[in-house]
Amino acid sequence: MGNVLLILRKVRLLRPLLVLLLLLLGLLLPLAPLRASTPKAPAAADTIRVQQLNQLAFELRSSNPRLSRTRFEEAAALATRLGYAPGQAKAWLGLGFYYRKRNEYAPALAFTQQASRIFRQRRDSLNLIGVGYNLGYIYFGQGNYAKALASAQEGLTQAEKLRDNKWLVLTNAQLGVISTQLGEYGQALAYLEQSRTLARQTNDQGGVAQSLRGLGDLYQAQGQWTQARRYYTEGAALARSLGDNPGRMVLEVYIADMAERQGRPAEALRYARQARAELRRLDVVGYLPLVDLVMARAQLRLRRPDSAIYYGRPGLQASQQRGVKEDIRDGSRVLAEASARLGRFADAYRYHRLFAAYDDSLSSRALIRRTAALQYGFELRQQHNRIGELTRATAMVRQQNQQQQWLLGVSGIGLVLVTGLSVVLGRNYRQKKRAYEQLSRQQAELVATQRQLVAAEKWAFVGELSAGIAHELQNPLNFMNRLALVSNELLEQETAAAAGAGGPATGVPDELGEEIMSGLRRNLHEISQHGQRASSIINSMLAHARTGAAAPKPTNINALVARQLRLAYEGRPDTALLLPAGVLHPVLGDDLPPVPVLVPEVERVLLNLFTNSLYALAGRAAVAGPGYVPELRVSTALLAGQVQVKVRDNGTGMSPAVQQRIFQPFFTTKPVGEGTGLGLSLAHDIITKGHGGTLRVVSEEGNFTEFTLTLPLKQE
């Protein structure tokens, strides 16, 4: 039927006949006898139509991304109606690629995970490589570097098993890009050279272009602009010859960036203007903020501050909408300098504050990237150790089997001595059983020792990481110095203004003077806050070592819970500001006896639990429908000589894998800059080691999370 329809579409003269035939069918079908309908498998023509739509969409990705998305959506809708799972998953994966290239990571992740579930059910190894490849870049864009590295490495392993040259090229290039951002430049160069060599051997020109772009990123990250531009230029020329317009435009944006950094602003503007128009036409909007930023920097270098502000403002706004911290930092710095050159000091001060804040955050992000690389290496060593143990155990079992086979052969030859051999074999069996039990005990001891070594290695990792604390603390202190410098400049301007007006410098201030004095007060306030933050970083990192150093004192737990619950709600993060006032449901037990606790430490535990619950409620409220009612229920009770505190929310919940790791140091599911992974680890140590209590969690992903905290009434 599908082939007939295709022929009828091509032969326009037969269209009137087709219309007449359809009308006759419409008249005759109601006269047919009614029969019980039974579900049918999708027709071959329909499934072929889904495959054709997917194939067309993939071919359009480079020339017309917007039309490619439309074809993927049509394929997904048709496959859903037909119940054709492979076509549905293929279309979802294509949409995941489309949104990821636009830096819209939320829909990209949702579509890719939906496709992954179907591919795993069908054990489609080849398409699962594509899933891992896309997830690697999505996690990387979200700042989850450890998961990005793990996904990319898994994709490379699967590609090696299938010996698929195309995916070997792409996964090697992807690992090179991720390693570059993690600061592993030597490893990144090895991956990228491997990708380029394999692509050339297999005549995969698209793979060669991908590796050239990765090499450009590598040298750009090291500040070697000339080498970076050479690779970008070579990659752009290759993309042009392949008809990959989006890839070529992205590389020309990078060429414009390199030209501006090398002091050639006119050339940078020429490349950037061409790329800006073409990116809009192709709907590759994820790179437009970078184009605007490059043009703003070039205009500033040409001493055109008005033009720099014209391009810088939309670029900064778009970067803030997408959350790209590097572009926000660089855009605010350009706008601050341009505003200062135009004498707009209030705007310059505001942009400078934004630049300083994101500069501080990105310095922390660099440390987190290094932490992710160390953590991944640590987990990889663990896997190798487990593989080694399993290999040794397998060899031992094989040796035992060989011995038993030999004994059975001997027993078959000596049938006459069966009675005596039975006694010997029985004694040998009992000895082997005892030896096996001893081996099991030794293996259990080995596992326990291995866990202790793992824990010791983790704390050694903490010690290595602590070396970076000094660098981390320099950022808030440098921020204080910058604010103090700005304050001094504002004071000098006030003094100069008063002197120019002919009045004394200490006279009654005018409106500008009042604004400057107000700015000074804000600076002092910011200095105080960042000083406290520096102290907080030290305290959080060292708190594991000194938990329980002070003496506990009897405390009213209800009052402690109520106070920290109020503080958590009033100081909730920006993502939780839209939660309704009725989200809190405290149910505090009556007549609870005083509990001996270290008040500051237990306050820290409660505040961390309440803040995490509000964060989870806000995360589910952002994606749930209007019928969702967020609730945070906190209760206290006296049970068997212990005071119990329960914290339950109906937020995003946690998967079993996340529940197993939440009390590990440096493990966090929050985006970069919003969590250090120390909160729950420190809370667990405070309750269990410092107070002899317990801290447990029960959760169901997408439904709820409940933490149960118990504190004994008597300290042992």
Side-chain angles (χ1 to χ4, degrees):
M1 185 63 182
N3 293 331
V4 173
L5 290 176
L6 290 175
I7 294 172
L8 291 177
R9 290 192 188 98
K10 294 180 180 178
V11 184
R12 295 183 178 181
L13 296 176
L14 294 179
R15 283 185 179 177
L17 180 59
L18 175 62
V19 173
L20 179 60
L21 179 60
L22 291 175
L23 288 174
L24 290 174
L25 287 174
L27 292 173
L28 293 175
L29 283 175
L31 301 177
L34 296 176
R35 297 181 180 178
S37 61
T38 57
K40 297 181 179 179
D46 294 330
T47 58
I48 290 174
R49 176 60 178 164
V50 174
Q51 296 169 6
Q52 289 174 340
L53 285 171
N54 279 328
Q55 181 64 32
L56 179 60
F58 272 102
E59 292 173 356
L60 290 171
R61 286 185 304 168
S62 298
S63 60
N64 195 334
R66 188 183 291 108
L67 184 57
S68 171
R69 182 201 65 190
T70 302
R71 294 294 174 263
F72 276 130
E73 291 172 344
E74 292 175 357
L78 179 57
T80 302
R81 290 197 301 272
L82 298 172
Y84 179 43
Q88 191 179 40
K90 196 76 173 179
W92 281 343
L93 181 59
L95 289 170
F97 273 81
Y98 170 79
Y99 284 108
R100 189 257 299 170
K101 290 187 176 181
R102 289 171 59 91
N103 296 337
E104 298 178 16
Y105 296 118
L109 182 60
F111 279 118
T112 306
Q113 288 176 337
Q114 287 176 337
S116 176
R117 282 193 289 270
I118 295 178
F119 289 140
R120 290 188 186 280
Q121 290 173 358
R122 303 181 64 85
R123 298 181 180 178
D124 188 341
S125 301
L126 186 61
N127 279 314
L128 282 174
I129 299 177
V131 167
Y133 179 78
N134 205 38
L135 287 176
Y137 277 125
I138 291 172
Y139 291 137
F140 180 76
Q142 292 177 328
N144 196 336
Y145 304 111
K147 292 186 72 172
L149 200 58
S151 296
Q153 185 62 56
E154 182 180 358
L156 178 61
T157 302
Q158 291 297 326
E160 289 173 344
K161 287 182 180 179
L162 296 178
R163 298 181 180 178
D164 188 287
N165 290 328
K166 170 193 170 184
W167 283 115
L168 281 172
V169 170
L170 292 176
T171 51
N172 271 290
Q174 183 182 48
L175 280 167
V177 171
I178 296 174
S179 299
T180 295
Q181 293 301 317
L182 293 176
E184 300 288 340
Y185 299 134
Q187 189 64 47
L189 182 60
Y191 280 128
L192 292 168
E193 289 293 354
Q194 174 69 15
S195 173
R196 184 167 61 163
T197 300
L198 185 58
R200 287 175 173 173
Q201 290 174 352
T202 57
N203 197 27
D204 181 0
Q205 297 302 311
V208 174
Q210 190 86 348
S211 60
L212 289 172
R213 176 178 171 181
L215 289 167
D217 292 343
L218 173 62
Y219 286 103
Q220 182 192 29
Q222 299 176 78
Q224 301 179 24
W225 317 126
T226 302
Q227 294 91 328
R229 179 172 179 174
R230 177 167 61 86
Y231 283 114
Y232 286 147
T233 303
E234 187 177 347
L238 183 55
R240 181 191 296 274
S241 66
L242 295 173
D244 182 6
N245 292 326
R248 176 174 62 87
M249 286 300 103
V250 171
L251 287 169
E252 290 194 357
V253 171
Y254 292 156
I255 293 172
D257 186 24
M258 294 300 98
E260 190 279 328
R261 294 180 187 276
Q262 290 177 309
R264 296 198 288 271
E267 183 181 356
L269 284 174
R270 185 176 71 255
Y271 273 105
R273 287 194 181 100
Q274 294 173 356
R276 193 168 189 254
E278 190 67 13
L279 288 173
R280 288 183 182 277
R281 186 184 69 81
L282 293 172
D283 195 33
V284 186
V285 298
Y287 289 89
L288 287 177
L290 178 59
V291 177
D292 289 338
L293 175 60
V294 172
M295 296 180 73
R297 291 206 322 258
Q299 295 288 2
L300 192 61
R301 191 183 286 270
L302 292 171
R303 298 181 180 179
R304 301 170 185 168
D306 286 327
S307 298
I309 292 176
Y310 174 78
Y311 289 110
R313 280 178 178 168
L316 177 60
Q317 292 172 356
S319 300
Q320 288 174 321
Q321 291 174 357
R322 289 177 170 81
V324 183
K325 293 187 176 182
E326 290 86 349
D327 291 348
I328 297 173
R329 177 198 60 188
D330 296 342
S332 56
R333 178 169 54 187
V334 171
L335 289 171
E337 186 174 348
S339 299
R341 290 187 184 182
L342 293 172
R344 302 172 184 173
F345 296 109
D347 290 341
Y349 171 72
R350 176 165 54 85
Y351 288 126
H352 181 76
R353 288 185 63 206
L354 183 63
F355 159 73
Y358 277 91
D359 189 41
D360 178 36
S361 175
L362 287 171
S363 297
S364 301
R365 186 171 174 179
L367 183 61
I368 292 173
R369 287 176 177 173
R370 182 57 183 165
T371 302
L374 292 173
Q375 180 182 355
Y376 180 76
F378 166 72
E379 293 176 351
L380 197 61
R381 288 194 298 273
Q382 278 187 300
Q383 292 178 0
H384 288 315
N385 291 336
R386 286 196 293 270
I387 292 171
E389 291 296 332
L390 290 174
T391 303
R392 286 191 290 272
T394 303
M396 186 178 298
V397 171
R398 186 181 297 111
Q399 183 179 3
Q400 290 178 348
N401 290 337
Q402 291 174 352
Q403 291 176 353
Q404 291 177 355
Q405 291 174 358
W406 182 79
L407 288 174
L408 288 174
V410 173
S411 64
I413 297 173
L415 291 176
V416 180
L417 303 174
V418 64
T419 304
L421 285 174
S422 298
V423 174
V424 173
L425 288 175
R427 184 183 300 114
N428 189 24
Y429 171 75
R430 289 191 294 272
Q431 290 176 351
K432 285 184 177 181
K433 184 177 180 181
R434 288 193 295 270
Y436 178 75
E437 292 174 350
Q438 183 179 3
L439 179 63
S440 298
R441 289 193 298 271
Q442 291 175 351
Q443 187 174 7
E445 294 174 358
L446 178 62
V447 171
T449 304
Q450 184 180 5
R451 289 176 179 172
Q452 294 174 359
L453 291 174
V454 168
E457 189 173 356
K458 279 189 177 181
W459 289 115
F461 165 66
V462 172
E464 181 182 351
L465 185 61
S466 299
I469 293 176
H471 172 71
E472 174 68 12
L473 290 178
Q474 288 300 320
N475 295 308
L477 296 177
N478 289 336
F479 185 69
M480 296 178 196
N481 293 333
R482 287 196 293 268
L483 288 176
L485 180 61
V486 172
S487 299
N488 289 331
E489 292 176 356
L490 290 172
L491 185 59
E492 290 175 2
Q493 292 174 7
E494 167 64 9
T495 304
T506 60
V508 179
D510 55 9
E511 293 182 359
L512 178 59
E514 291 178 357
E515 181 180 357
I516 293 175
M517 294 303 293
S518 176
L520 288 174
R521 286 191 293 271
R522 286 196 300 269
N523 287 348
L524 292 175
H525 180 66
E526 294 286 346
I527 290 171
S528 175
Q529 283 187 338
H530 284 274
Q532 293 173 1
R533 180 176 183 272
S535 177
S536 175
I537 293 172
I538 285 289
N539 292 335
S540 295
M541 294 296 294
L542 301 180
H544 281 283
R546 63 188 186 199
T547 298
K553 63 179 181 179
T555 305
N556 185 338
I557 289 296
N558 283 344
L560 205 63
V561 169
R563 183 166 63 252
Q564 296 309 308
L565 185 59
R566 183 177 65 256
L567 286 176
Y569 182 73
E570 292 175 352
R572 60 194 183 280
D574 293 342
T575 55
L577 287 177
L578 297 180
L579 291 176
V583 71
L584 304 179
H585 297 276
V587 182
L588 306 182
D590 298 331
D591 301 328
L592 293 183
V595 184
V597 296
L598 301 169
V599 175
E601 295 188 355
V602 175
E603 283 181 340
R604 181 183 302 168
V605 172
L606 294 173
L607 186 60
N608 184 272
L609 294 179
F610 298 154
T611 302
N612 286 348
S613 293
L614 290 171
Y615 186 92
L617 291 173
R620 185 175 176 185
V623 297
Y628 171 64
V629 179
E631 292 182 349
L632 172 56
R633 297 186 178 275
V634 182
S635 62
T636 61
L638 179 62
L639 296 173
Q642 293 181 327
V643 170
Q644 183 185 80
V645 181
K646 285 191 175 183
V647 182
R648 182 185 179 98
D649 64 78
N650 61 341
T652 54
M654 294 180 286
S655 65
V658 172
Q659 293 179 52
Q660 293 178 1
R661 301 185 61 191
I662 58 172
F663 296 127
Q664 295 179 6
F666 304 106
F667 175 76
T668 180
T669 59
K670 294 180 179 178
V672 176
E674 294 187 19
T676 62
L678 289 172
L680 287 176
S681 171
L682 180 57
H684 187 268
D685 285 354
I686 288 173
I687 298 302
T688 59
K689 298 180 182 179
H691 292 81
T694 62
L695 180 60
R696 298 185 178 90
V697 62
V698 177
S699 182
E700 182 177 328
E701 189 170 11
N703 287 328
F704 75 93
T705 298
E706 181 179 82
F707 283 92
T708 302
L709 182 156
T710 63
L711 293 168
L713 293 177
K714 294 182 180 180
Q715 293 285 336
E716 298 181 358

